[in-house]
Amino acid sequence: MDYNAALIQGASTQPSNFYVVGIGASAGGIAALQSFFRNMPDNNGMAFVVVMHLSPDHESSLKNIIQSQTGMQVIQITEMIEIAPNNVYVIPNNMHLLMQNNKINLIPPQQTSGRRIAIDLFFRSLSVSYREKAICIVLSGTDCDGEIGLKHIKEQGGITIAQDPTEAEFSSMPTEAISTGMVDWVLPAGDIPGRLLHLIQNEPKIHLSTENNSFTDSSIQTASGIPDLSLNISSPSDEATISEILRILRAQTGHDFNNYKRATVLRRITRRLQVNLQEDLSSYLEFLHTHPSETNALKQDLLISVTNFFRDRDAFSTLQTYIPQFFADKQASS
């Protein structure tokens, strides 16, 4: 199977009403997984997909290990399956997983050696299918699998988490993830469930409009030069708060985001509220004042790098099928 074509086919067209949590682990990951699921309540409203590096030659006991720590149903995937909340889905040995819309698909690995990519591949497909409802967690491991897929999750507005490297039995994977600068939370494995539950509980309290207009194009400049933001946010005080947030960004970072599309700015501010477990704009503004590092974090979210250079997936997927033909009869010296 062509991984890129499968990812294109898996692009979600409908927003999900629940979060999907992808968990990547390798060496030393069993203890971290046990701690995580031991502290996660059964009726949590999320779905979990565990992607672990397993021996291709031996049947895995991962399903039974996790099942001993949770009352949720733990399913080792044997065929394409529709995902549902309050379930745990586990990768089998010698296979890769792709999320395609609301289903998990099994595919054989394309490479026989080299750097492992099972976690990266699943995280990337999760970002395409679930976008803001995607969460990824990088646990103990000895390589860097997961850091590329994590960037895709971040780009699409999802939540990115790494196990505290000082706790991990093997720190390479979480350390490499953290080095990207795109990890939202660094926590001991047993503390991650509580933070996720707070995220779920806090989300319904956040309501921001995402009208697809720029601030300056859709508002009247005040005498001070700051836009009067008047697009469907719940109250004038919220509009004033957003103006103040943008003013702080401009003053402290030198970046003026007033000309950015409203949808982009509000989506990224909403994401920062979620990450920091803030209930409303006024509390987030106070958080900005009391946590100086948050200003730069918000700036980085607004300036997030694009991990997919070719944005028109269908066009470039078609082009991909023709390019090899152009060089089929060429010699190295041609």
Side-chain angles (χ1 to χ4, degrees):
M1 175 181 288
D2 185 309
Y3 287 172
N4 289 323
L7 288 167
I8 292 168
Q9 293 170 5
S12 178
T13 56
Q14 297 293 330
S16 171
N17 60 359
F18 63 91
Y19 282 94
V20 177
V21 182
I23 306 175
S26 184
I30 291 295
L33 287 166
Q34 289 174 317
S35 179
F36 176 87
F37 284 107
R38 187 164 56 245
N39 287 280
M40 176 60 73
D42 298 338
N43 187 23
N44 53 69
M46 293 172 276
F48 303 88
V49 183
V50 179
V51 181
M52 190 168 187
H53 296 161
L54 302 171
S55 168
D57 304 317
H58 300 92
E59 191 66 27
S60 170
S61 59
L62 183 60
K63 173 185 178 296
N64 293 334
I65 291 172
I66 294 176
Q67 189 67 82
S68 69
Q69 304 297 318
T70 180
M72 290 185 284
Q73 184 179 16
V74 182
I75 302 165
Q76 180 169 290
I77 301 167
T78 57
E79 58 184 359
M80 181 179 282
I81 185 171
E82 186 169 342
I83 200 166
N86 304 320
N87 285 280
V88 182
Y89 304 88
V90 175
I91 191 172
N93 63 320
N94 204 31
M95 295 297 286
H96 283 170
L97 300 181
L98 278 181
M99 180 64 70
Q100 296 178 289
N101 281 319
N102 62 339
K103 296 179 180 179
I104 307 174
N105 196 12
L106 281 171
I107 57 172
Q110 287 189 351
Q111 92 245 47
T112 57
S113 61
R115 190 179 79 86
R116 293 182 172 183
I117 64 167
I119 299 169
D120 276 327
L121 179 66
F122 180 75
F123 283 179
R124 184 181 172 195
S125 70
L126 179 61
S127 76
V128 171
S129 293
Y130 278 81
R131 301 186 182 184
E132 291 91 351
K133 291 290 189 178
I135 298 172
C136 69
I137 304 172
V138 178
L139 299 177
S140 175
T142 55
D143 61 13
C144 60
D145 194 8
E147 66 169 328
I148 295 174
L150 178 145
K151 294 177 183 178
H152 286 266
I153 297 282
K154 180 91 168 185
E155 179 195 339
Q156 295 294 338
I159 303 295
T160 57
I161 307 168
Q163 182 182 8
D164 186 340
T166 62
E167 179 204 50
E169 187 174 344
F170 293 91
S171 63
S172 295
M173 265 176 46
T175 298
E176 290 293 331
I178 294 166
S179 71
T180 65
M182 294 190 176
V183 171
D184 294 313
W185 303 334
V186 178
L187 296 167
D191 291 350
I192 298 173
R195 187 71 68 89
L196 290 177
L197 292 172
H198 285 149
L199 173 75
I200 297 291
Q201 294 161 4
N202 191 59
E203 185 186 36
K205 303 173 184 177
I206 301 173
H207 297 287
L208 295 178
S209 167
T210 55
E211 294 271 340
N212 194 23
N213 299 298
S214 69
F215 286 102
T216 53
D217 287 345
S218 58
S219 59
I220 300 172
Q221 297 290 331
T222 64
S224 63
I226 298 174
D228 176 17
L229 308 180
S230 54
L231 279 180
N232 299 329
I233 288 183
S234 57
S235 70
S237 64
D238 282 347
E239 298 285 5
T241 302
I242 291 180
S243 293
E244 178 63 9
I245 290 170
L246 296 181
R247 187 198 65 77
I248 291 172
L249 277 175
R250 185 172 57 205
Q252 296 189 12
T253 71
H255 288 268
D256 186 349
F257 293 100
N258 284 310
N259 288 319
Y260 270 51
K261 287 185 178 180
R262 183 184 182 89
T264 299
V265 173
L266 294 185
R267 187 163 55 245
R268 293 303 176 180
I269 290 176
T270 300
R271 187 183 182 283
R272 296 312 304 173
L273 265 71
Q274 291 175 308
V275 167
N276 294 295
L277 305 180
Q278 301 299 307
E279 296 184 4
D280 52 41
L281 287 167
S282 60
S283 63
Y284 180 66
L285 179 59
E286 180 63 26
F287 187 85
L288 274 176
H289 286 304
T290 57
H291 296 76
S293 62
E294 176 60 20
T295 304
N296 189 62
L298 175 57
K299 182 197 78 172
Q300 291 301 115
D301 265 26
L302 287 163
L303 297 176
I304 193 165
S305 59
V306 175
T307 51
N308 291 312
F309 181 78
F310 300 123
R311 307 299 287 179
D312 191 339
R313 296 188 180 113
D314 293 339
F316 282 99
S317 179
T318 301
L319 181 62
Q320 183 182 28
T321 65
Y322 287 98
I323 287 179
Q325 300 175 26
F326 298 154
F327 302 96
D329 58 349
K330 303 292 184 181
Q331 302 298 318
S333 60
S334 297

